[in-house]
Amino acid sequence: MRGRRVVAIIAVSVIAAVAAIAAVELIRIAGDAAEQPALADFYEQPAGAADGEPGTLVRSESLEGVPAASEAWRIMYRSTDLHGEPIVVTGIVVTPLGPAPAGGRTVLAWGHPTTGTDASCAPSRGFDPFIGIEGLRLMLDRGYTVVATDYAGMGTDGPDSYLVAQTAARSVLDAVRAAQHLDGAAAGDRVVLWGHSQGGQAVLVAAEQAPDYAPELTIAGVAAAAPAADLTALMGSHLDDISGVTIGSYAFPAFASVYGPTVPGADLDDILTPAAIAASSEMNRLCLLENLDRLHEIGTPLIGDFFAHDPTTTEPWATLLAENSAGQRAIDAPVFIAQGADDELVLPADTATFVGHVRELGDDVDYDVVPLATHSTIAYLALPALDGWLDSLD
């Protein structure tokens, strides 16, 4: 009888704990929902928004429905594009509750994977702006302030930056600076960069560029899961499949808009077929995960009829792909790269070749290949190894 009573007490305790967790989650969801009606107003840039130093804040607002034991803000901040022109970018900042250490908290700068290129695809505009930050709970529990950029051209008006390495890298670094200007974030100068896929490219290039672009920041380490690091290899591996069509529909209009005005031969009709150009406008309006079926419906008939020429061997596209790849210079900080063994988008062989290349440059790389992990699961399945690697930085 005593044993049954103990079991009953345990069962009641478990039910109570589950109910408490569910209640907290419902409160958080209600907070997210409450923000939606006035959401668009935040992303309208005021007059002169870009005027000011990179990394300074244009505006910020507190977020509701935040993760447990944290506070968070939506931010609009200043940055620059690859040409050095002033731009405005948005994102979010999340920090744990409680006193910060002397000198401020380590800042974890997150680079998100592909969500699309339309302004509406910005993660900070989502119903739950925290859900896509892979490892957020881990980082908050480590005492980090987390900043997550939307990248330029998403969230608010700005140049398209999809796989445009320097613009994306500057969005990442200036998001850290913006967090330092935010009262309550307690953001220090010590920075860890962490990104997945598109975000892997952004954070790797940010680490390469930081000594010149943001020398006041101390890059303690950079971690990337299945990074889109070598664009030549990435596009070359998917010239004749749906991934190549989908990625290409985002990337080549972005490159044409950025490089077309100044680089001869970098117009869209120099690299895509008329059918691809006709479809790319609609594809660019569609956010990836919410519209994957529709993107595949549009893109599947274009397989084999998307590229007018092979961009990996046709100039100026071959050079642009190479110049926007990571691995241009050594990174003066430890590097962690995770790769899923079953990834069919960023192929394991391509990542292994990239790791060999940057090791030759002098990078100190911890390379972790995770069995059974796919492109969509690698960032989560790499978290235990990433946690251990972060311990080694402290």
Side-chain angles (χ1 to χ4, degrees):
M1 188 66 105
R2 178 184 176 85
R4 291 180 181 176
R5 187 179 300 114
V6 170
V7 170
I9 291 171
I10 291 173
V12 169
S13 298
V14 170
I15 291 170
V18 170
I21 293 170
V24 170
E25 185 64 13
L26 285 172
I27 292 170
R28 193 178 71 79
I29 292 171
D32 292 335
E35 294 170 342
Q36 292 301 304
L39 188 66
D41 293 344
F42 181 87
Y43 295 90
E44 292 295 326
Q45 296 177 27
D51 299 339
E53 292 298 310
T56 54
L57 285 168
V58 178
R59 61 162 60 117
S60 65
E61 65 179 16
S62 296
L63 289 171
E64 301 180 35
V66 300
S70 73
E71 57 183 325
W73 303 263
R74 184 176 286 112
I75 59 172
M76 177 182 286
Y77 64 96
R78 300 175 179 93
S79 188
T80 59
D81 67 9
L82 77 164
H83 302 302
E85 295 298 317
I87 59 175
V88 176
V89 189
T90 54
I92 65 169
V93 177
V94 193
T95 196
L97 298 178
R105 298 186 185 277
T106 294
V107 180
L108 187 287
W110 164 247
H112 67 77
T114 299
T115 59
T117 59
D118 190 74
S120 64
C121 307
S124 77
R125 296 186 73 140
F127 181 82
D128 183 345
F130 311 102
I131 195 169
I133 303 176
E134 294 162 310
L136 175 60
R137 185 73 262 163
L138 168 66
M139 304 308 172
L140 293 174
D141 288 346
R142 295 186 69 91
Y144 294 172
T145 289
V146 177
V147 59
T149 180
D150 289 327
Y151 308 133
M154 299 179 66
T156 192
D157 290 341
D160 198 337
S161 63
Y162 186 70
L163 297 181
V164 179
Q166 285 197 48
T167 302
R170 292 175 177 186
S171 294
V172 170
L173 295 170
D174 284 324
V176 176
R177 289 166 160 167
Q180 293 175 329
H181 287 283
L182 187 64
D183 291 340
D189 292 333
R190 183 177 185 269
V191 180
V192 175
L193 304 167
W194 162 232
H196 178 196
S197 194
Q198 176 192 359
Q201 178 222 30
V203 299
L204 288 167
V205 177
E208 294 176 23
Q209 296 295 320
D212 295 329
Y213 187 75
E216 78 281 7
L217 301 180
T218 300
I219 307 300
V222 55
D230 185 339
L231 298 188
T232 303
L234 178 64
M235 294 312 306
S237 296
H238 297 289
L239 288 175
D240 295 313
D241 63 25
I242 189 60
S243 294
V245 172
T246 305
I247 296 169
S249 72
Y250 289 157
F252 287 93
F255 276 41
S257 68
V258 170
Y259 295 105
T262 58
V263 177
D267 294 323
L268 205 55
D269 57 8
D270 291 318
I271 195 62
L272 300 188
T273 65
I277 293 172
S280 65
S281 294
E282 182 180 357
M283 296 182 80
N284 268 266
R285 290 192 296 269
L286 299 174
C287 303
L288 183 67
L289 295 181
E290 301 93 319
N291 299 284
L292 190 59
D293 288 344
R294 177 58 182 157
L295 285 164
H296 284 188
E297 180 184 339
I298 299 169
T300 298
L302 296 171
I303 295 173
D305 188 34
F306 187 78
F307 294 105
H309 309 283
D310 181 348
T312 68
T313 59
T314 303
E315 294 296 348
W317 304 97
T319 295
L320 294 177
L321 291 173
E323 290 179 348
N324 282 280
S325 295
Q328 303 293 326
R329 59 190 289 186
I331 293 173
D332 189 22
V335 178
F336 173 88
I337 295 179
Q339 173 65 44
D342 289 353
D343 194 328
E344 296 181 351
L345 181 60
V346 175
L347 302 184
D350 292 342
T351 301
T353 298
F354 174 77
V355 168
H357 166 66
V358 294
R359 280 176 171 164
E360 289 180 357
L361 290 178
D363 286 4
D364 176 14
V365 183
D366 187 331
Y367 183 41
D368 186 32
V369 179
V370 181
L372 305 179
T374 65
H375 193 72
S376 61
T377 63
I378 180 56
Y380 285 110
L381 294 178
L383 289 178
L386 176 63
D387 193 26
W389 178 79
L390 290 170
D391 285 342
S392 74
L393 303 182
D394 296 334

